[in-house]
């Protein structure tokens, strides 16, 4: 296989990766929207679409293995494909967290919210932007950007801590809110985990460009 | 590189993988023990040892990439190395969950437990056995065993559901337990996630032996 063929295969895989990223962003967006608007149908859509995300993971993986087997790349080319193999796992896991959020929507349909959800959608907006930015950093081989994106995890962690505190306070004062509060707390945790997966992706990008593994996930 | 060299390299990587697995099992064991016995020093040890787990992940990854680059394996050999690349990610993430549990130990030192922890250590015992068994299934290329191990995730899910219900009930009756109860609930969730990672490993083992990706994580 020629160098040109290799680049073409890699481009194809990158396009698939970005499509998968878009699906994951949409899954997060719709899952949170379904929760905020108590939209059971939208929640079901997120659960159903997760199969597509899993399938894309599998296709990209197969593509990576095929390219490794046919092209037998070394050095930076091999690291690039190895990084992609890692990134799709993180993306797939993000999709699972979106499903978990959508399931929460269906569980909390019975009772009204104690107060409107504000911080959770805010946290989700940050997280979605981080997902997209981290994939762009991978494509652009931009380890500087990767470092900056991972640093934004602090904002997410602070929002998570605030939501955690607020919910504990509400639950302590109104004990009938404990079931709801606990589930919302887990939603915040799913978002926090998605941000952790973004940090993983950023670590892979830095590994790919520098060969050095850093621990950005403090 | 000869076939014999390849097998030797693979054996070396497998030994490293099993060592990493042992470290992860120990981390889970010690994290739960630190929580049950309220042992801050043991909790600190888990946090400290996580660096070792991260380092092993990196070493095994580098070894896999080196072997791929030097030996340029195809087919089953390549899938074997690809699977190992995936498994170390799951193991590393399990280590992170053990750290999260250890951090909970340090957070809950101030107040006595409302009741002795029984189901959480029980759940942890199941999870630890699953970790070990899944790695053995990988080494033995035993997809039947992998299927059986993944099926045990049901036991873990049931224990998780029970712990969840029990904690919600305690929190509802005694509102001063909400902070503690919430943190213990997250511990149960960390264990549930570790079991999910085991299920991932089982999926990889089946993929490796059959070339088919299944979704065991229902």
């Amino acid at each position: 296989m020629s160098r040109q063929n290799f680049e073409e295969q890699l481009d194809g895989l990158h396009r698939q990766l970005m499509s998968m990223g878009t699906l994951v962003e949409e899954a997060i967006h719709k899952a949170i929207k379904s929760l905020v608007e108590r939209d059971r149908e939208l929640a079901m859509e997120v659960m159903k679409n997760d199969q597509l995300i899993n399938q894309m993971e599998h296709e990209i993986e197969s593509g990576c293995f095929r390219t490794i087997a046919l092209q037998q790349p070394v050095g930076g080319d091999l690291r690039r494909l190895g990084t992609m193999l890692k990134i799709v796992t993180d993306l797939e896991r993000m999709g699972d967290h979106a499903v978990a959020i959508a399931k929460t929507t269906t569980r909390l349909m019975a009772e009204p919210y104690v107060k409107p959800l504000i911080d959770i959608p805010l946290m989700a907006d940050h997280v979605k932007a981080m997902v997209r930015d981290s994939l762009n950093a991978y494509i652009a081989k931009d380890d500087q950007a990767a470092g900056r994106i991972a640093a934004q995890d602090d904002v997410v962690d602070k929002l998570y801590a605030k939501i955690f505190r607020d919910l504990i306070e509400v639950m302590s004062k109104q004990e009938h809110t404990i079931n709801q509060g606990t589930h919302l707390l887990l939603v915040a945790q799913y978002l926090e985990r998605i941000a952790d997966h973004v940090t993983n992706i950023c670590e892979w990008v830095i590994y790919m460009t520098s060969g050095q593994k850093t621990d950005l996930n403090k």
Side-chain angles (χ1 to χ4, degrees), chain A:
Chain A
M1 194 195 286
S2 69
R3 180 80 214 169
Q4 197 191 333
N5 280 347
F6 176 69
E7 294 292 346
E8 278 169 14
Q9 283 209 349
L10 202 60
D11 281 351
L13 287 167
H14 285 170
R15 275 193 299 276
Q16 281 182 283
L17 186 74
M18 294 312 278
S19 302
M20 187 180 172
T22 303
L23 284 181
V24 169
E25 269 182 272
E26 277 175 14
I28 301 167
H29 177 75
K30 287 179 180 171
I32 293 294
K33 193 168 165 17
S34 80
L35 187 79
V36 172
E37 300 180 0
R38 313 174 69 89
D39 185 337
R40 187 192 292 270
E41 269 182 43
L42 194 58
M44 301 301 280
E45 191 185 317
V46 173
M47 294 180 218
K48 194 168 143 270
N49 284 351
D50 192 49
Q51 287 175 11
L52 201 58
I53 292 175
N54 294 347
Q55 196 184 316
M56 289 204 74
E57 181 199 19
H58 183 43
E59 281 172 18
I60 295 169
E61 275 167 12
S62 300
C64 286
F65 282 131
R66 208 163 39 236
T67 307
I68 292 173
L70 291 174
Q71 175 76 9
Q72 312 199 324
V74 292
D77 289 340
L78 180 58
R79 277 212 303 275
R80 201 112 219 239
L81 289 161
T83 301
M84 197 158 8
L85 279 172
K86 292 291 193 176
I87 288 178
V88 290
T89 311
D90 284 302
L91 284 177
E92 190 272 334
R93 206 66 73 238
M94 292 180 197
D96 287 346
H97 293 320
V99 167
I101 294 170
K103 281 184 184 163
T104 307
T105 298
T106 63
R107 281 200 191 105
L108 296 183
M109 293 296 284
E111 36 177 350
Y113 291 140
V114 179
K115 63 191 191 78
L117 305 185
I118 292 164
D119 286 328
I120 286 179
L122 190 64
M123 192 176 167
D125 286 343
H126 273 283
V127 168
K128 277 182 291 178
M130 285 172 73
V131 175
R132 166 55 48 115
D133 291 347
S134 68
L135 293 180
N136 284 335
Y138 165 75
I139 300 291
K141 298 186 194 173
D142 188 343
D143 56 345
Q144 304 277 323
R148 280 197 304 274
I149 297 154
Q152 287 170 33
D153 194 31
D154 283 353
V155 179
V156 172
D157 283 345
K158 278 194 186 109
L159 273 167
Y160 175 54
K162 180 178 185 302
I163 292 167
F164 201 104
R165 274 196 315 271
D166 288 354
L167 284 170
I168 296 268
E169 199 187 317
V170 170
M171 289 193 276
S172 301
K173 284 180 185 157
Q174 299 164 272
E175 64 189 44
H176 71 277
T177 66
I178 284 177
N179 184 55
Q180 182 182 114
T182 308
H183 279 104
L184 290 176
L185 199 144
L186 290 179
V187 167
Q189 211 209 22
Y190 295 131
L191 289 174
E192 192 250 337
R193 275 167 193 286
I194 293 174
D196 281 348
H197 283 291
V198 171
T199 310
N200 292 343
I201 293 177
C202 294
E203 285 179 4
W204 295 121
V205 172
I206 292 170
Y207 172 67
M208 177 182 76
T209 51
S210 70
Q212 296 298 312
K213 195 74 192 288
T214 48
D215 188 3
L216 299 172
N217 207 343
K218 298 296 176 195

